[in-house]
Amino acid sequence: MCGIVGYVGDNNAQDFLISGLKRLEYRGYDSAGIVTINDDGKATLIRAKGKISNLEERLARKKRDDKIGIGHTRWATHGEPSEANAHPHRAGKLYLVHNGIIENYKELKEHLKEHEFKSETDSEVLAALINSFYGDGKYPLANAVVQALKLAKGTYGIAVISEDNPNEIVVARSGSPLVIGIGDGATLIASDASALVGHTKRAIYLNDGEVARVTKNSVDIKTLNAEPVSAKVEEIETNLAAIQKGGYEHFLLKEIMEQPESLMETLRGRVNIKDGTVRLGGPGLSEAELRKIKHLIIVGCGTAYHAGLLAAYYIEKFTPEITVEVVIASEYRYRQAYVPEDSVALIVSQSGETADTLACLREIKKQGVKTIGIVNAIGSTIAREVDGGTYVHVGPEISVASTKAFTSQVIAMVMFGLTIAEAKGVRNTIIRPYVEEIFKLPNEIREVLGAYQNTIKMEAKKYAEYEHAIYLGRDTAYPTAMEGALKLKEVSYIDANAYAFGELKHGPLALIDDRFFVMAFLPKGELYEKAVSNTQEVLARGGHVIAVTNEDSFDLPVENVIKITTSMEIFTPILMNLISQLFAYYVTVAKGLNVDQPRNLAKSVTVE
Ligand code: F6R
């Protein structure tokens, strides 16, 4: 989604803006732009459709040594991707970059007849509105911004500069993140701390409803009601290595391969293998509160939703006294759902900024239900608004397709479930096998990735020509199939759908023909034989089946079989998901597509 950067300081602003925008590229965008202003108030505005490399080509002819500027990567919401719609937008002597959506922009536009609109965006309306208060520049810029924001409805993270005063940037946020980096002889602005890494480790995360006037060595924050806010300076934990490819061709492969380490980070200090117990400090619930829980609601979108579905299967198995409901955030936020007493909501989000998930969090909080975040991005909005939480600590996930976050989200939720089970007095003989497998999981992941990467690389090529795929599983392998299908479709554009094996006969079996390949997940266990029978039904209809199993005796005449050797009994589906991740990656590489930034998608979906 859209990204914002800003710079005011002693050095070249264009250099920081371009490098910062490149850091934000992973979020997905379709145009980009920067504006800088020199000491005499002369602005240099450069915008381009498409990649930042297009912007750099234009920049080569407009190199400036200006010391202040703002920049933006745009992911189109109002108006097509084009140079005119790209930010920064100009109104009078002001330039603005904006993330989010101004919902009442049409109504506001009606009153802004003086301004000659050059774009179709809601953001230009906001620029014009601020300018209508700013007038000839005698009114302080921050005050003009506040007046305008009081009229704007919707979400925003903005940065504004003026030709009149090339020493200050005014920033504000409501529902769209903004971070202020405290540098040496410079103050930096970004919508995502990753743009600041390598420049400073100190940052202030702006809260909703706050406006800041920023100069090279000062940050003055107020609320929209002019109350002063004392800024809390926090440390940025990310390092440069975490946001670089580290020798891999793509971030997606790097993030798949680093799962042994990223899961270790999720587990660090939380698993007591001697006692066979887990400890999560973050949720902040007492033993008595944990014991009282009768119902869990798990809220997320996309991969985070699938992680919730998988975790729910596990939690139900070892905590008989509670019910678990997993909901899609964009649906749940508009349902008239009654949340039963003694519920706790798990709010699952890698980015911590997903608009629908955030909206659910706020709705659920209104009902007085305790909310626990299962979040990756430290300091993100969801992480700050939940009542308690467990960071998954997988480090920055740069590739648009989520991989390492999924694995850790599932395990973090299972650990939360185990904490409830312990408090409710579930026997240690039931809990211990889960804890032991969780403890062994990073190593098992390492072995599976090492053992199957090359095989999958070879096999995946054969499937790059297909246009349709079906993923099948049952029980814990069903969410695994759903996540596998999502991964394949989002990066390779193969139309992939997942079904519970048992649902085949109720419709989807009609689809099976030569245009489809079928990925069947068959973990050992109670339902293995049933899944084998279902696979036979597919084979009988001429389906091209790839079977993924850990059952040695599997001998159906499928086109391909990936037999996983593992000592895991409970978490085999997580290992199977690694196969799906690698498979999606290698199919996409074989098709020559943009692996890390699939078309039409954004990493952090901050609009509805
Ligand atoms: C799929 C994917 C998305 C996200 C979803 C939620 O690979 O990345 O489906 O999982 O947009 O994002 P977060 O977890 O940031 O709330």
Side-chain angles (χ1 to χ4, degrees):
M1 260 302 80
C2 306
I4 287 179
V5 286
Y7 180 92
V8 50
D10 295 331
N11 295 325
N12 185 301
Q14 284 184 337
D15 290 348
F16 172 77
L17 297 177
I18 292 292
S19 73
L21 290 183
K22 283 187 177 162
R23 292 267 183 81
L24 300 182
E25 273 192 301
Y26 76 95
R27 297 167 63 93
Y29 68 105
D30 43 50
S31 56
I34 61 170
V35 64
T36 58
I37 300 178
N38 73 9
D39 289 345
D40 301 326
K42 187 169 173 347
T44 304
L45 173 67
I46 313 163
R47 298 181 298 183
K49 186 179 161 185
K51 292 287 161 202
I52 290 172
S53 51
N54 301 350
L55 190 69
E56 283 181 296
E57 273 170 32
R58 293 184 182 189
L59 179 70
R61 298 188 294 275
K62 286 189 170 181
K63 275 276 179 201
R64 302 282 183 270
D65 195 26
D66 304 344
K67 308 291 193 233
I68 184 169
I70 52 177
H72 192 258
T73 44
R74 174 173 186 260
W75 193 83
T77 52
H78 291 88
E80 53 161 7
S82 67
E83 186 178 335
N85 287 336
H87 302 211
H89 289 291
R90 179 182 184 174
K93 293 178 182 173
L94 304 185
Y95 295 84
L96 164 138
V97 290
H98 166 226
N99 286 355
I101 292 182
I102 303 301
E103 285 160 10
N104 59 339
Y105 79 106
K106 283 192 182 138
E107 187 190 318
L108 294 171
K109 202 170 177 178
E110 292 290 303
H111 303 285
L112 294 165
K113 303 274 187 236
E114 309 268 281
H115 181 79
E116 191 193 325
F117 283 92
K118 304 232 164 50
S119 77
E120 302 153 89
T121 65
D122 53 330
S123 307
E124 190 183 359
V125 174
L126 186 57
L129 184 63
I130 297 172
N131 191 46
S132 71
F133 288 104
Y134 184 65
D136 56 9
K138 297 216 172 67
Y139 196 51
L141 179 59
N143 293 12
V145 168
V146 168
Q147 295 308 321
L149 292 180
K150 283 186 171 168
L151 299 178
K153 292 200 183 95
T155 54
Y156 54 79
I158 56 166
V160 190
I161 55 175
S162 159
E163 290 170 357
D164 289 323
N165 186 0
N167 300 306
E168 68 169 0
I169 307 177
V170 175
V171 294
R173 79 159 267 177
S174 180
S176 197
L178 252 179
V179 193
I180 302 169
I182 313 297
D184 200 8
T187 306
L188 315 159
I189 306 294
S191 52
D192 176 334
S194 63
L196 307 180
V197 174
H199 297 278
T200 178
K201 274 199 154 302
R202 299 187 329 128
I204 298 167
Y205 292 85
L206 217 58
N207 289 309
D208 277 356
E210 291 177 356
V211 180
R213 180 181 172 270
V214 167
T215 67
K216 108 176 161 182
N217 39 31
S218 71
V219 177
D220 178 20
I221 308 178
K222 291 204 171 81
T223 65
L224 284 180
N225 297 323
E227 290 144 7
V229 174
S230 69
K232 188 166 149 228
V233 180
E234 297 181 39
E235 189 168 330
I236 301 175
E237 291 188 8
T238 310
N239 56 32
L240 263 183
I243 54 170
Q244 288 166 345
K245 285 191 193 145
Y248 286 96
E249 203 178 332
H250 300 103
F251 282 110
L252 183 55
L253 185 59
K254 176 187 177 228
E255 287 160 10
I256 293 171
M257 299 307 285
E258 72 192 12
Q259 289 176 95
E261 293 76 33
S262 57
L263 182 59
M264 281 290 270
E265 290 303 317
T266 313
L267 304 188
R268 197 173 293 286
R270 292 168 171 168
V271 180
N272 184 340
I273 194 64
K274 223 166 100 232
D275 299 354
T277 56
V278 293
R279 278 284 156 272
L280 294 179
L285 298 171
S286 67
E287 289 279 308
E289 284 173 309
L290 288 166
R291 256 197 310 276
K292 261 179 72 185
I293 299 173
K294 290 210 182 83
H295 184 65
L296 277 185
I297 311 168
I298 304 182
V299 184
C301 300
T303 290
Y305 167 67
H306 293 158
L309 288 175
L310 182 49
Y313 271 94
Y314 287 123
I315 295 171
E316 281 171 354
K317 286 180 200 289
F318 59 73
T319 322
E321 286 169 40
I322 58 173
T323 53
V324 190
E325 183 188 12
V326 189
V327 296
I328 295 173
S330 57
E331 287 295 312
Y332 193 74
R333 64 184 288 188
Y334 296 112
R335 273 170 55 189
Q336 314 294 312
Y338 162 71
V339 185
E341 247 180 68
D342 300 323
S343 294
V344 163
L346 297 184
I347 312 294
V348 194
S349 176
Q350 186 286 125
S351 64
E353 301 294 348
T354 302
D356 285 319
T357 313
L358 180 58
C360 285
L361 162 64
R362 290 175 178 164
E363 283 302 315
I364 290 171
K365 276 183 90 169
K366 274 191 215 154
Q367 298 196 37
V369 174
K370 269 251 184 289
T371 54
I372 308 290
I374 304 291
V375 173
N376 185 36
I378 309 225
S380 56
T381 311
I382 292 176
R384 284 175 316 137
E385 291 197 14
V386 285
D387 299 312
T390 294
Y391 278 120
V392 293
H393 287 305
V394 300
E397 198 180 57
I398 307 284
S399 176
V400 164
S402 186
T403 51
K404 59 179 179 172
F406 173 83
T407 304
S408 286
Q409 285 162 345
V410 175
I411 295 302
M413 283 185 268
V414 170
M415 287 200 290
F416 182 66
L418 290 168
T419 313
I420 301 173
E422 280 169 29
K424 283 182 178 284
V426 172
R427 273 180 292 127
N428 189 259
T429 45
I430 296 180
I431 292 173
R432 185 177 278 276
Y434 285 86
V435 179
E436 283 175 0
E437 285 212 2
I438 287 175
F439 188 72
K440 286 197 287 186
L441 193 53
N443 213 25
E444 294 272 333
I445 289 178
R446 181 172 295 110
E447 283 176 15
V448 168
L449 290 172
Y452 300 100
Q453 186 187 0
N454 280 334
T455 320
I456 293 165
K457 186 175 178 177
M458 298 310 296
E459 294 304 324
K461 282 185 200 152
K462 299 182 201 157
Y463 295 91
E465 297 302 315
Y466 281 86
E467 284 181 12
H468 307 278
I470 290 180
Y471 280 57
L472 298 170
R474 57 193 317 159
D475 197 66
T476 46
Y478 175 41
T480 309
M482 292 168 86
E483 175 55 13
L486 173 63
K487 217 70 337 168
L488 186 73
K489 78 180 102 178
E490 70 173 319
V491 290
S492 76
Y493 315 148
I494 293 175
D495 161 40
N497 287 298
Y499 301 99
F501 261 125
E503 278 293 290
L504 268 185
K505 289 197 232 11
H506 303 286
L509 206 50
L511 289 169
I512 305 294
D513 67 17
D514 263 358
R515 297 166 307 147
F516 282 77
F517 73 84
V518 174
M519 181 80 92
F521 297 100
L522 303 111
K524 272 188 203 172
E526 231 184 306
L527 298 173
Y528 170 76
E529 291 301 339
K530 288 191 195 303
V532 168
S533 307
N534 296 139
T535 308
Q536 269 164 333
E537 289 159 8
V538 177
L539 288 172
R541 273 114 194 135
H544 299 254
V545 176
I546 310 168
V548 184
T549 183
N550 58 333
E551 175 55 66
D552 270 350
S553 62
F554 179 85
D555 62 357
L556 291 185
V558 293
E559 204 168 88
N560 260 300
V561 57
I562 297 162
K563 276 193 187 164
I564 300 177
T565 312
T566 171
S567 64
M568 294 267 133
E569 286 179 6
I570 299 167
F571 293 113
T572 328
I574 291 204
L575 302 178
M576 293 181 164
N577 187 53
L578 305 175
I579 305 292
S580 296
Q581 294 174 345
L582 285 170
F583 185 82
Y585 172 74
Y586 283 115
V587 168
T588 308
V589 170
K591 290 180 80 167
L593 297 170
N594 187 338
V595 176
D596 286 328
Q597 288 161 26
R599 68 186 179 205
N600 307 338
L601 296 181
K603 182 65 185 164
S604 169
V605 186
T606 50
V607 294
E608 200 177 337

